Amino acid sequence: SSEKPLLYTLLITCNGEVIPFRIGLKKIEFRAFMNCGNLEEITVSDGVEMIADEAFDNCTSLRKVTIADSVEQFGYGVFRYCHSLEEVDYKYVSEDGRCIVIDGELLSFMPGGVESYTLSEDITKVGYYAFYSCDSLLSVTLPSSLECIDTNAFMYNYNLQSIYCKATTPPMMGVDPLWGYDDWNLKIYVPVESLDAYLNADGWRDYADAILGYDFETGEITKPSINLGVCGTFTNWGQDGELDIAMEYLDDRNLYVAYGIELTTDDRFK
């Protein structure tokens, strides 16, 4: 045909049927299928070369995706909020169909029904939005090969309870990769021999209150020894003039030591 190849996606009714893309389509644009809540299965046909960022954002019923080998460029957050997604058939997917990895970077994780997951040792980077809002995920193990965790990589994982990071050298961190972790009751387990390094590493020190040492052979847990010096105090006084609780905050890590002690009003901190 003398027709020019289509450069943009067409608007397609998301009625839950399998959708093959029209021949000649080269690119699936940013948020092209966003909020197609009834879409359950989709096939990206041969000839498509790029899937842009967040292309299938919030397709909450999507269970299976087949992607042609012609797709070489795969964006960030392509399957954000796709909580039901269980399987992707693609040349860059892991053997279990759960991880899309290109050049060592985990670009997308398919979370449907998974509570615990271990990343393979060929992964060196957890990409932007890779684990975005994986509602069922309770625990994830990061490989010893890991070198970087990108910005917002684990954003909105409110049910995530444990991250086990096997890397002996703390991986570099983007901006706030564990956004919202204060509400998760999250624990981060790192090699016990590297505990101090993690507590003092850029990015990691922001999560120091969640970090514990871990022996990956025996399962033994080691708590950090804190000897940082007191920078200040916070006090809460009851109506009767007695001190209910005193909290000492330690350097800039927002770590606190609380003491349930009884003092008279004359003993208040100056």
Side-chain angles (χ1 to χ4, degrees), residues 189-197 212-216 220-223:
Y189 300 94
V190 303
V192 64
E193 66 272 21
S194 303
L195 179 55
D196 287 342
L212 297 167
Y214 187 75
D215 188 319
F216 283 90
E220 184 177 353
I221 296 172
T222 301
K223 294 181 179 180

Short mmCIF file of all heavy atoms in Angstrom, two decimals, residues 189-197 212-216 220-223:
data_model
loop_
_atom_site.label_atom_id
_atom_site.label_comp_id
_atom_site.label_asym_id
_atom_site.label_seq_id
_atom_site.Cartn_x
_atom_site.Cartn_y
_atom_site.Cartn_z
N TYR A 189 15.70 -5.52 54.82
CA TYR A 189 16.74 -6.41 55.32
C TYR A 189 17.93 -6.37 54.37
O TYR A 189 17.79 -6.62 53.17
CB TYR A 189 16.20 -7.82 55.45
CG TYR A 189 15.02 -7.93 56.41
CD1 TYR A 189 13.71 -7.86 55.94
CD2 TYR A 189 15.23 -8.09 57.77
CE1 TYR A 189 12.64 -7.94 56.82
CE2 TYR A 189 14.16 -8.18 58.66
CZ TYR A 189 12.87 -8.10 58.16
OH TYR A 189 11.80 -8.19 59.03
N VAL A 190 19.10 -6.05 54.93
CA VAL A 190 20.31 -5.92 54.11
C VAL A 190 21.40 -6.83 54.69
O VAL A 190 21.32 -7.25 55.85
CB VAL A 190 20.80 -4.46 54.09
CG1 VAL A 190 19.68 -3.54 53.57
CG2 VAL A 190 21.25 -3.99 55.47
N PRO A 191 22.43 -7.17 53.91
CA PRO A 191 23.49 -8.04 54.44
C PRO A 191 24.06 -7.48 55.73
O PRO A 191 24.40 -6.29 55.81
CB PRO A 191 24.53 -8.04 53.32
CG PRO A 191 23.74 -7.77 52.08
CD PRO A 191 22.67 -6.81 52.50
N VAL A 192 24.17 -8.32 56.75
CA VAL A 192 24.56 -7.85 58.07
C VAL A 192 25.93 -7.18 58.04
O VAL A 192 26.17 -6.20 58.77
CB VAL A 192 24.52 -9.02 59.09
CG1 VAL A 192 25.55 -10.10 58.74
CG2 VAL A 192 24.71 -8.51 60.51
N GLU A 193 26.81 -7.66 57.18
CA GLU A 193 28.15 -7.08 57.10
C GLU A 193 28.14 -5.69 56.45
O GLU A 193 29.11 -4.94 56.53
CB GLU A 193 29.10 -8.00 56.33
CG GLU A 193 28.79 -8.18 54.86
CD GLU A 193 27.81 -9.32 54.57
OE1 GLU A 193 27.08 -9.71 55.51
OE2 GLU A 193 27.82 -9.81 53.43
N SER A 194 27.02 -5.35 55.82
CA SER A 194 26.91 -4.05 55.14
C SER A 194 25.93 -3.11 55.83
O SER A 194 25.60 -2.05 55.29
CB SER A 194 26.45 -4.27 53.69
OG SER A 194 27.32 -5.13 52.99
N LEU A 195 25.48 -3.47 57.04
CA LEU A 195 24.45 -2.71 57.72
C LEU A 195 24.84 -1.24 57.90
O LEU A 195 24.07 -0.33 57.56
CB LEU A 195 24.13 -3.34 59.07
CG LEU A 195 23.07 -2.65 59.94
CD1 LEU A 195 21.76 -2.49 59.19
CD2 LEU A 195 22.86 -3.43 61.23
N ASP A 196 26.03 -1.00 58.40
CA ASP A 196 26.47 0.39 58.61
C ASP A 196 26.56 1.15 57.29
O ASP A 196 26.24 2.35 57.23
CB ASP A 196 27.82 0.41 59.33
CG ASP A 196 27.71 0.02 60.79
OD1 ASP A 196 26.58 0.06 61.33
OD2 ASP A 196 28.73 -0.34 61.40
N ALA A 197 27.01 0.47 56.25
CA ALA A 197 27.12 1.13 54.95
C ALA A 197 25.75 1.58 54.44
O ALA A 197 25.61 2.69 53.91
CB ALA A 197 27.77 0.18 53.94
N LEU A 212 17.33 -3.27 58.76
CA LEU A 212 17.87 -4.26 59.69
C LEU A 212 18.93 -5.08 58.99
O LEU A 212 18.86 -5.30 57.78
CB LEU A 212 16.76 -5.18 60.21
CG LEU A 212 15.63 -4.53 61.01
CD1 LEU A 212 14.48 -5.51 61.17
CD2 LEU A 212 16.15 -4.09 62.37
N GLY A 213 19.92 -5.55 59.75
CA GLY A 213 20.90 -6.47 59.19
C GLY A 213 20.32 -7.87 59.09
O GLY A 213 19.51 -8.28 59.93
N TYR A 214 20.73 -8.60 58.06
CA TYR A 214 20.14 -9.93 57.83
C TYR A 214 21.22 -10.88 57.31
O TYR A 214 21.98 -10.54 56.41
CB TYR A 214 19.01 -9.82 56.81
CG TYR A 214 18.21 -11.08 56.62
CD1 TYR A 214 17.28 -11.49 57.58
CD2 TYR A 214 18.36 -11.86 55.48
CE1 TYR A 214 16.53 -12.64 57.41
CE2 TYR A 214 17.61 -13.01 55.31
CZ TYR A 214 16.70 -13.40 56.27
OH TYR A 214 15.97 -14.54 56.09
N ASP A 215 21.28 -12.05 57.92
CA ASP A 215 22.17 -13.11 57.44
C ASP A 215 21.37 -13.97 56.48
O ASP A 215 20.44 -14.68 56.88
CB ASP A 215 22.68 -13.94 58.62
CG ASP A 215 23.76 -14.93 58.21
OD1 ASP A 215 23.62 -15.56 57.13
OD2 ASP A 215 24.74 -15.08 58.97
N PHE A 216 21.70 -13.90 55.19
CA PHE A 216 20.91 -14.59 54.17
C PHE A 216 21.12 -16.11 54.18
O PHE A 216 20.42 -16.82 53.48
CB PHE A 216 21.23 -14.02 52.79
CG PHE A 216 20.56 -12.69 52.54
CD1 PHE A 216 21.20 -11.50 52.88
CD2 PHE A 216 19.30 -12.62 52.00
CE1 PHE A 216 20.58 -10.28 52.66
CE2 PHE A 216 18.66 -11.41 51.78
CZ PHE A 216 19.31 -10.23 52.11
N GLU A 220 19.25 -14.94 60.54
CA GLU A 220 19.40 -14.16 61.76
C GLU A 220 19.30 -12.66 61.46
O GLU A 220 19.88 -12.17 60.49
CB GLU A 220 20.74 -14.46 62.42
CG GLU A 220 20.93 -13.76 63.75
CD GLU A 220 22.25 -14.13 64.42
OE1 GLU A 220 22.95 -15.03 63.90
OE2 GLU A 220 22.57 -13.51 65.45
N ILE A 221 18.58 -11.95 62.32
CA ILE A 221 18.36 -10.52 62.16
C ILE A 221 19.19 -9.74 63.17
O ILE A 221 19.25 -10.10 64.35
CB ILE A 221 16.87 -10.18 62.33
CG1 ILE A 221 16.04 -10.85 61.22
CG2 ILE A 221 16.63 -8.67 62.30
CD1 ILE A 221 14.54 -10.74 61.41
N THR A 222 19.81 -8.66 62.71
CA THR A 222 20.63 -7.81 63.58
C THR A 222 20.08 -6.39 63.55
O THR A 222 19.92 -5.81 62.48
CB THR A 222 22.10 -7.80 63.11
OG1 THR A 222 22.60 -9.13 63.12
CG2 THR A 222 22.94 -6.91 64.01
N LYS A 223 19.82 -5.86 64.73
CA LYS A 223 19.37 -4.47 64.81
C LYS A 223 20.57 -3.53 64.81
O LYS A 223 21.64 -3.89 65.30
CB LYS A 223 18.54 -4.25 66.09
CG LYS A 223 17.24 -5.02 66.11
CD LYS A 223 16.46 -4.74 67.39
CE LYS A 223 15.14 -5.50 67.40
NZ LYS A 223 14.37 -5.25 68.64
#
